[in-house]
Amino acid sequence: RTGEVVGFRDVNAYGSVKGGVYPRTVTDTEVAVAMPFSSVTGESTVTADVAGSFTYSGGTISSGLDGQFFRTACEACSGPAQAEASVALGSGRLDFGLGGLDGVANGFSTPAERNAYYHLNQVRLVVKKWLSIPWLESNIGINVNIQDTCNAVWTGEANFFRSGDGCNNTGEISDVMYHEWGHGLDGNTRGGDGATGEGTADVVSMHVTRSPLVGPYFRTNGSPVRNIDFATSSRGFLSVANIASKCSTAGSTGPLGYEVHCEGEIYGQTGWDLSQALTAKHGHHTGWRVSERIFFNSLPDAGSYLSTGSFPIYDAYVNADDDNGNLADGTPNGQEIFDAFDAHGI
């Protein structure tokens, strides 16, 4: 009657998708985060944005941790068998919740489903800063809570195992996810031998976590899968010159004839050494950005970690670092690149 404003609100309808994840590994406290690019089904299907938000038009909606770039599948799971969150009325806020254990969900989802979906979207976003390749726009399957232990594998899809036998669930450890997806990135750029692929996948993980530990708490005692900092690694410094005293010849082997994960640490340690030289030169944030730029931009030309191999990674790094199309006058970080690769004999 008086014209006085008695209430003010936004009448636009917003929906959101969120769920609990470990920021890095299983000993972290779960935090609720947005589930980016999730598909939400109601009267029609819409895709949430990078912040997990979408326009909610009312009515019953649901989501299953399937999205624009990744889709999840849970092996022999219960409570429910596959992730699903729904709302019938109200705000349109879909929440996959916290908790659960291996294949037993919290009523909406298992931790592995939430963590794998979230963290694989995160590593993709890091790489999208630097590369535009068709594979980054594809939709990739994620299989979690596979009834096996102490491993994860890339088969064109990402596959993560349950806890047991002294290991934690690999679908709940972000580094393991970054590494496995890194195999896919390697295979959809230049790619190379098995040892180079293992090193490449470790360096992908390193650039997301900014840590030399690949998969802390892979083992229930806290041990990681690998440590690519030779100064703190139990394996110590690894190079072409001393590999015979450091690595076994058993199992799948790299171009020097040694087990691929161990031989791949030559390149993994090189990547870590270079990142530390660049942060010392440019400062923490700029140094890591430069390291990211060189590494990810090198991938289309990166074949073998060996200087004698096909499409040597050293050459790819120097080309990625060049700023004027003329290698004859050096590159901005040419000395740091040379020192890191030369120290390890590559």
Side-chain angles (χ1 to χ4, degrees), residues 21-330:
V21 304
Y22 302 121
R24 186 174 179 189
T25 192
V26 295
T27 55
D28 298 335
T29 300
E30 276 191 288
V31 295
V33 297
M35 294 293 170
F37 310 117
S38 299
S39 294
V40 178
T41 301
E43 292 183 2
S44 60
T45 298
V46 298
T47 300
D49 63 18
V50 69
S53 299
F54 60 94
T55 300
Y56 176 52
S57 56
T60 299
I61 55 171
S62 64
S63 180
L65 284 180
D66 298 320
Q68 185 174 355
F69 304 109
F70 297 97
R71 62 189 186 277
T72 59
C74 199
E75 183 176 290
C77 295
S78 61
Q82 302 294 324
E84 182 175 12
S86 63
V87 293
L89 295 169
S91 64
R93 292 173 182 162
L94 294 166
D95 189 350
F96 287 94
L98 308 172
L101 180 66
D102 272 8
V104 181
N106 61 2
F108 307 100
S109 61
T110 64
E113 288 171 296
R114 299 190 301 272
N115 277 277
Y117 182 83
Y118 173 77
H119 285 294
L120 289 175
N121 268 290
Q122 298 311 302
V123 66
R124 176 190 170 275
L125 286 170
V126 171
V127 178
K128 277 289 291 180
K129 291 191 292 182
W130 308 109
L131 291 177
S132 294
I133 58 175
W135 182 71
L136 291 175
E137 308 308 318
S138 64
N139 187 274
I140 294 170
I142 308 169
N143 304 303
V144 299
N145 291 313
I146 292 170
Q147 297 177 86
D148 205 338
T149 61
C150 297
N151 207 352
V153 294
W154 176 260
T155 59
E157 295 186 338
N159 302 277
F160 303 106
F161 294 2
R162 298 188 182 202
S163 62
D165 298 322
C167 298
N168 284 304
N169 190 312
T170 54
E172 300 173 12
I173 304 169
S174 66
D175 307 48
V176 176
M177 302 171 210
Y178 304 151
H179 173 96
E180 295 304 331
W181 184 86
H183 283 304
L185 179 63
D186 181 53
N188 284 277
T189 47
R190 171 66 61 182
D193 58 84
T196 302
E198 293 299 337
T200 297
D202 281 352
V203 178
V204 169
S205 177
M206 176 199 88
H207 276 104
V208 184
T209 66
R210 299 185 177 181
S211 167
L213 301 182
V214 181
Y217 280 89
F218 173 78
R219 295 283 181 183
T220 53
N221 65 7
S223 299
V225 179
R226 270 179 299 285
N227 179 358
I228 56 175
D229 178 4
F230 73 82
T232 57
S233 167
S234 60
R235 203 186 301 279
F237 183 81
L238 197 62
S239 72
V240 169
N242 72 1
I243 189 171
S245 66
K246 300 284 186 177
C247 298
S248 164
T249 56
S252 247
T253 58
L256 295 180
Y258 297 90
E259 194 278 325
V260 290
H261 297 87
C262 186
E263 186 174 328
E265 283 189 52
I266 295 176
Y267 176 39
Q269 289 186 3
T270 301
W272 176 253
D273 291 353
L274 178 58
S275 74
Q276 298 311 286
L278 292 172
T279 56
K281 178 180 180 180
H282 298 290
H284 180 81
H285 296 294
T286 300
W288 273 110
R289 181 176 175 83
V290 171
S291 186
E292 271 189 37
R293 175 179 58 78
I294 293 171
F295 169 65
F296 289 116
N297 285 333
S298 78
L299 289 175
D301 297 318
S304 173
Y305 80 92
L306 292 171
S307 61
T308 55
S310 178
F311 294 94
I313 287 178
Y314 174 75
D315 292 359
Y317 269 51
V318 172
N319 280 319
D321 187 44
D322 185 45
D323 61 348
N324 66 357
N326 179 16
L327 294 178
D329 63 359

